[in-house]
C-alpha cells in the first residue's frame, strides 16, 4: 500500500514536470504505460499494426493535451479514455469499410494467408485442437457482431481485468451504464457460443 502511494506520488510529479515541458518526465510517463496501451489497443482491434497506430496517436494526443490534465481523475483513466475513444473510432471506420480478405490470388490460384501462419504451439490432441480452433473462430465472430461499445466494455472487463467503475470512467459514463452494456454483450456472447457452452 505504501509502495502504491509512492508510485502515485512519483506519477503526479512526473505529470507536473511533463506539463512544464520536461521531455524526460514525459518519456518516463510513456514508459510507465506503453505496454498497457499497446495491449488494450491490440485486444480491442485485433491488429498489431492498428494497435501501434493507436499507440502513437494516443501518446501524441497526451503530449499535445497534457497541459489540460487537471487531476480530476487518475492519469490512467484519462489515458485509457483517449485510447478507448481512438479504438472506438477505428472500429466504427472498419464497419464502414469492408474488411480485407485473408484470401489472395497468386499465380498458383487462391491462397488463404491465414494458412501460411505457423502455429507454434505443440500439436497435441487433434480433436481438441479442432475444437479450440472452432471456439476461437466463433468467439471472434461473436465479438465482431457486438456494437463497438459492447465489445469495448466486454474486452476491458474480461481481457484487461478492469472494474466496471473504471470502465464507466474511461467511457465517460456511469458504472451502471457500463454494467448494462456488459450484460448485453455477455448475453450475446452466450447466445452466440451456445453450442460450445
Amino acid at each position: 500500500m505504501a509502495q502504491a502511494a509512492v508510485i502515485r506520488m512519483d506519477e503526479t510529479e512526473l505529470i507536473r514536470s511533463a506539463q512544464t515541458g520536461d521531455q524526460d518526465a514525459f518519456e518516463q510517463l510513456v514508459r510507465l504505460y506503453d505496454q498497457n496501451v499497446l495491449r488494450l489497443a491490440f485486444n480491442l482491434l485485433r491488429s498489431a499494426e492498428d494497435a501501434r497506430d493507436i499507440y502513437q496517436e494516443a501518446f501524441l494526443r497526451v503530449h499535445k493535451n497534457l497541459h489540460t490534465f487537471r487531476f480530476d481523475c487518475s492519469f490512467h483513466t484519462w489515458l485509457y479514455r483517449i485510447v478507448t475513444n481512438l479504438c472506438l473510432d477505428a472500429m466504427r471506420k472498419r464497419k464502414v469499410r469492408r474488411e480485407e480478405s485473408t484470401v489472395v490470388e497468386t499465380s498458383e490460384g487462391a491462397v488463404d494467408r491465414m494458412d501460411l501462419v505457423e502455429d507454434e504451439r505443440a500439436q497435441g490432441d487433434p480433436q481438441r485442437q479442432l475444437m479450440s480452433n472452432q471456439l476461437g473462430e466463433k468467439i471472434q465472430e461473436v465479438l465482431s457482431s457486438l456494437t463497438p461499445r459492447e465489445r469495448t466494455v466486454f474486452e476491458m472487463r474480461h481481457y484487461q481485468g478492469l472494474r466496471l467503475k473504471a470502465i464507466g470512467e474511461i467511457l465517460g459514463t456511469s458504472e451502471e451504464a457500463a454494467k448494462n452494456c456488459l450484460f448485453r454483450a455477455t448475453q450475446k456472447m452466450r447466445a452466440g457460443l451456445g453450442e460450445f457452452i
Side-chain angles (χ1 to χ4, degrees):
M1 191 71 153
Q3 187 178 10
V6 169
I7 291 170
R8 189 154 294 155
M9 187 178 77
D10 290 343
E11 179 182 283
T12 301
E13 290 173 9
L14 283 174
I15 294 166
R16 290 196 191 286
S17 293
Q19 285 177 324
T20 64
D22 183 340
Q23 287 298 60
D24 289 335
F26 182 75
E27 287 174 20
Q28 288 180 40
L29 209 51
V30 170
R31 279 194 297 272
L32 276 175
Y33 288 101
D34 62 350
Q35 292 304 308
N36 290 334
V37 166
L38 268 174
R39 191 176 309 112
L40 174 61
F42 179 77
N43 283 340
L44 292 174
L45 301 174
R46 298 286 181 218
S47 161
E49 184 179 333
D50 291 345
R52 283 190 296 273
D53 290 345
I54 295 296
Y55 167 90
Q56 289 179 340
E57 180 63 26
F59 282 113
L60 280 173
R61 287 193 184 186
V62 168
H63 189 266
K64 182 179 176 184
N65 298 304
L66 191 60
H67 67 282
T68 66
F69 182 69
R70 300 282 177 244
F71 299 91
D72 297 334
C73 61
S74 72
F75 181 77
H76 173 269
T77 298
W78 187 68
L79 174 60
Y80 266 40
R81 185 176 298 153
I82 291 169
V83 174
T84 302
N85 286 336
L86 289 169
C87 288
L88 284 170
D89 288 345
M91 285 190 277
R92 285 185 199 107
K93 287 176 188 169
R94 274 187 189 168
K95 292 280 187 197
V96 172
R97 79 170 191 261
R98 196 173 65 77
E99 285 293 315
E100 183 179 332
S101 173
T102 60
V103 178
V104 292
E105 285 296 324
T106 67
S107 58
E108 296 154 13
V111 175
D112 188 339
R113 292 182 287 181
M114 295 307 289
D115 292 339
L116 303 176
V117 177
E118 289 185 36
D119 188 356
E120 297 177 3
R121 294 175 292 180
Q123 298 297 323
D125 179 5
Q127 182 67 27
R128 186 174 182 187
Q129 184 69 31
L130 176 64
M131 285 293 288
S132 177
N133 288 345
Q134 289 174 339
L135 176 60
E137 288 172 8
K138 191 64 175 173
I139 288 171
Q140 288 309 309
E141 180 185 319
V142 177
L143 275 174
S144 65
S145 73
L146 299 177
T147 68
R149 192 169 197 82
E150 289 169 344
R151 180 174 177 169
T152 299
V153 171
F154 187 85
E155 299 245 3
M156 290 177 118
R157 179 70 187 111
H158 294 290
Y159 292 108
Q160 297 294 315
L162 295 176
R163 296 186 181 280
L164 288 168
K165 182 176 182 182
I167 294 170
E169 288 175 2
I170 290 166
L171 295 175
T173 188
S174 68
E175 180 179 356
E176 189 63 29
K179 184 177 181 180
N180 291 336
C181 191
L182 178 63
F183 177 77
R184 286 191 307 275
T186 303
Q187 291 299 98
K188 289 179 181 179
M189 288 296 285
R190 281 193 182 127
L193 298 175
E195 65 200 73
F196 292 99
I197 299 176

